[in-house]
Amino acid sequence: MPVVDSIQARGGRLMLEFVCCCCIRLQSDPDPFWGAPGVHASAPSPVKQGVAVCRNRPRWRIPTVRAIKNMASIQGARAMVALSGASPHGHGMLAAPEIRSASSPLRALAIACFLVLGGAIVAHVSLTMHPRFLNLSDSIGSQKAIYDGTTASFGGRPDSIHNWRSRVMLPYALAGVSRATGMEFGRVYVLARWVTAAAALAMFMWLAKRSLALDAVAAGAPAVLLAFSLIPTFTHIYEIPSDFLDAAFFCVLTIWVLERRRGAFLGTLLVALLNRESAVFAVVAWFFVHAFGGGRKLFLRESLWCACCAALSTVAVVGLRILNAGHEAATLRQGLQTFEPALFLSYNLAMLRDFLLRPHFGNPYFLLGTYLLSVTLLLWAEWGAISTRARQLTLAAGAIFLVSSISNCINELRIFIPSLVLMTLVLASVVWRRPVNGSSSR
């Protein structure tokens, strides 16, 4: 038996590598009757292969049981077993005995019901909040105005909505469905709110499944947290129907960022810009995830890639706004997004003074402040335990939050949806004790 081979140069047994010891401990925890007969009977045995590998590597002393259970290298033991080629259902696998779960069709049906219910709840809350419900006709009219190229009306006052002219995805989809089915535009709008809310939850479940290695059912828990976090973004008096699709597209973009798939990222980014220009914030996430930790050459290469993506996105958004003006002579200035930090700062400070004089738990400052405080305290307590990729996403979310704060009014909390997606993923990583996975190739 390789474990008990003696060394002729000195007495005692062969010293095993630490990872091999972890393999033995992990195997004995779920199966107390596992032992030498299991090692001999398994073919091939992960422990045998581990011992064979560690013969030619530096030998460590066997640590105590307490050290083995507390060290993070146990994950390395699981990875070694996976690389050994052993069947996950074969004898000697380092996992608990298989528990028979429900059949795949039932699980898929349960997940579909969850998405239908979750989307309905989120959309119902958004549609029926008091100011939004009263102004629902104006919200629907704004989408028709983008499609028709006419002037929208908010509270009886006309508005050319130059900055919305690039958000053509949903208005054109609503008009197409309305013509194909004969349904009224308003009924299609309400149905679209339900479908897009369910799509946002589905895309976040996909993100959690791929990045945290969770199964579809377990990924539903962070999706519920995202749905709960989206509700405070409904503070604006008018519905902005691009918000749910904004979350869905940003989830997909985050997947391509973590997996470092440039072509898929750029293609999805250009499509997402047809919904809302905030999709360009995914470039910030790419920069924080891939531009650091690999030297000057990597930093310059990734910075150039991010700059090219940002420039291409700007050209696409501005050009689409000018082309879609339709009813009036559009200029380049009308196609540009208004960016006046001093104006927004004064407006946000006035809101802050009003909140301090008349505090209320429904105020956007209260909702935003309590969210930031709770997230900050949790990350401060767990910062040493979260993975490097999760830290990078946290910094990216913070940078996106700062840019959104100085370029918009804080009373529209929907501007923080990209940051919410990233922070919900990080919080799920902390709660589930799972590292955020992604491509590590340079």
Side-chain angles (χ1 to χ4, degrees):
M1 180 177 178
V3 178
V4 296
D5 284 347
S6 60
I7 304 175
Q8 296 181 359
R10 58 179 180 177
R13 297 179 177 178
L14 177 66
M15 294 183 181
L16 301 182
E17 197 179 47
F18 176 68
V19 174
C20 184
C21 299
C22 292
C23 289
I24 298 173
R25 294 293 182 183
L26 285 173
Q27 179 64 26
S28 62
D29 284 342
D31 188 1
F33 299 100
W34 180 87
V39 175
H40 286 294
S42 59
S45 170
V47 177
K48 279 185 177 181
Q49 296 180 11
V51 173
V53 170
C54 77
R55 280 175 177 271
N56 299 324
R57 300 186 64 181
R59 295 162 181 165
W60 299 352
R61 294 186 179 275
I62 300 178
T64 63
V65 178
R66 183 180 184 86
I68 292 175
K69 292 185 176 181
N70 292 336
M71 293 294 290
S73 297
I74 292 180
Q75 297 179 358
R78 293 195 177 103
M80 188 188 70
V81 174
L83 293 175
S84 66
S87 172
H89 303 293
H91 186 77
M93 182 60 187
L94 307 185
E98 180 185 2
I99 300 176
R100 184 171 300 176
S101 60
S103 60
S104 296
L106 291 179
R107 291 169 63 91
L109 182 60
I111 294 171
C113 292
F114 164 77
L115 294 175
V116 168
L117 177 61
I121 293 175
V122 175
H124 177 75
V125 174
S126 176
L127 288 167
T128 58
M129 292 187 71
H130 178 66
R132 291 187 163 210
F133 181 76
L134 296 179
N135 299 317
L136 184 58
S137 59
D138 290 343
S139 300
I140 297 174
S142 67
Q143 300 304 298
K144 295 184 67 176
I146 294 176
Y147 174 75
D148 297 333
T150 57
T151 301
S153 176
F154 295 96
R157 292 176 296 180
D159 191 340
S160 57
I161 53 174
H162 300 298
N163 294 338
W164 289 12
R165 294 294 173 181
S166 60
R167 305 175 186 180
V168 297
M169 177 180 291
L170 194 59
Y172 277 76
L174 295 178
V177 173
S178 178
R179 288 186 177 184
T181 60
M183 297 174 60
E184 295 180 359
F185 193 91
R187 296 187 62 183
V188 178
Y189 174 91
V190 175
L191 180 62
R193 293 295 288 167
W194 175 27
V195 174
T196 54
L201 300 182
M203 291 301 100
F204 191 82
M205 289 178 63
W206 187 33
L207 170 62
K209 186 176 183 296
R210 292 181 69 116
S211 61
L212 301 180
L214 298 174
D215 60 14
V217 176
V224 172
L225 178 60
L226 177 65
F228 183 77
S229 302
L230 286 176
I231 293 178
T233 65
F234 303 153
T235 53
H236 199 266
I237 61 175
Y238 295 102
E239 273 209 321
I240 311 297
S242 60
D243 52 0
F244 295 151
L245 283 180
D246 187 21
F249 276 117
F250 208 84
C251 290
V252 179
L253 288 169
T254 304
I255 293 175
W256 304 147
V257 168
L258 295 175
E259 297 182 0
R260 208 179 187 192
R261 298 176 60 177
R262 298 183 189 271
F265 175 81
L266 183 58
T268 306
L269 176 61
L270 294 178
V271 174
L273 291 173
L274 300 178
N275 174 68
R276 193 165 184 264
E277 58 278 359
S278 61
V280 74
F281 285 139
V283 177
V284 179
W286 186 290
F287 178 78
F288 276 91
V289 170
H290 296 296
F292 297 99
R296 181 183 301 177
K297 184 177 180 181
L298 175 69
F299 179 82
L300 293 177
R301 184 179 64 195
E302 298 300 337
S303 299
L304 180 61
W305 162 255
C306 292
C308 292
C309 290
L312 184 60
S313 301
T314 303
V315 171
V317 171
V318 173
L320 190 58
R321 286 176 180 174
I322 295 176
L323 291 176
N324 197 37
H327 65 290
E328 59 185 14
T331 63
L332 181 61
R333 181 177 178 83
Q334 290 175 342
L336 294 175
Q337 176 73 37
T338 303
F339 183 71
E340 300 178 358
L343 177 64
F344 289 121
L345 179 61
S346 61
Y347 184 80
N348 292 331
L349 289 178
M351 284 187 56
L352 179 60
R353 288 193 298 268
D354 182 70
F355 169 68
L356 295 177
L357 293 175
R358 292 179 293 273
H360 187 264
F361 63 86
N363 190 286
Y365 270 96
F366 178 83
L367 299 174
L368 182 61
T370 51
Y371 179 84
L372 292 178
L373 180 61
S374 59
V375 169
T376 302
L377 293 177
L378 179 60
L379 293 179
W380 192 355
E382 300 288 342
W383 189 255
I386 64 177
S387 62
T388 302
R389 191 72 76 198
R391 295 182 182 184
Q392 294 168 343
L393 292 178
T394 302
L395 296 177
I400 295 172
F401 172 82
L402 290 178
V403 175
S404 302
S405 300
I406 64 177
S407 60
N408 291 277
C409 298
I410 292 184
N411 66 333
E412 300 183 32
L413 295 179
R414 60 182 177 82
I415 63 177
F416 302 119
I417 287 179
S419 297
L420 282 178
V421 171
L422 296 181
M423 286 310 308
T424 306
L425 180 62
V426 173
L427 293 177
S429 172
V430 172
V431 172
W432 287 96
R433 301 293 181 181
R434 297 288 185 94
V436 178
N437 301 316
S439 173
S440 58
S441 60
R442 296 292 182 188

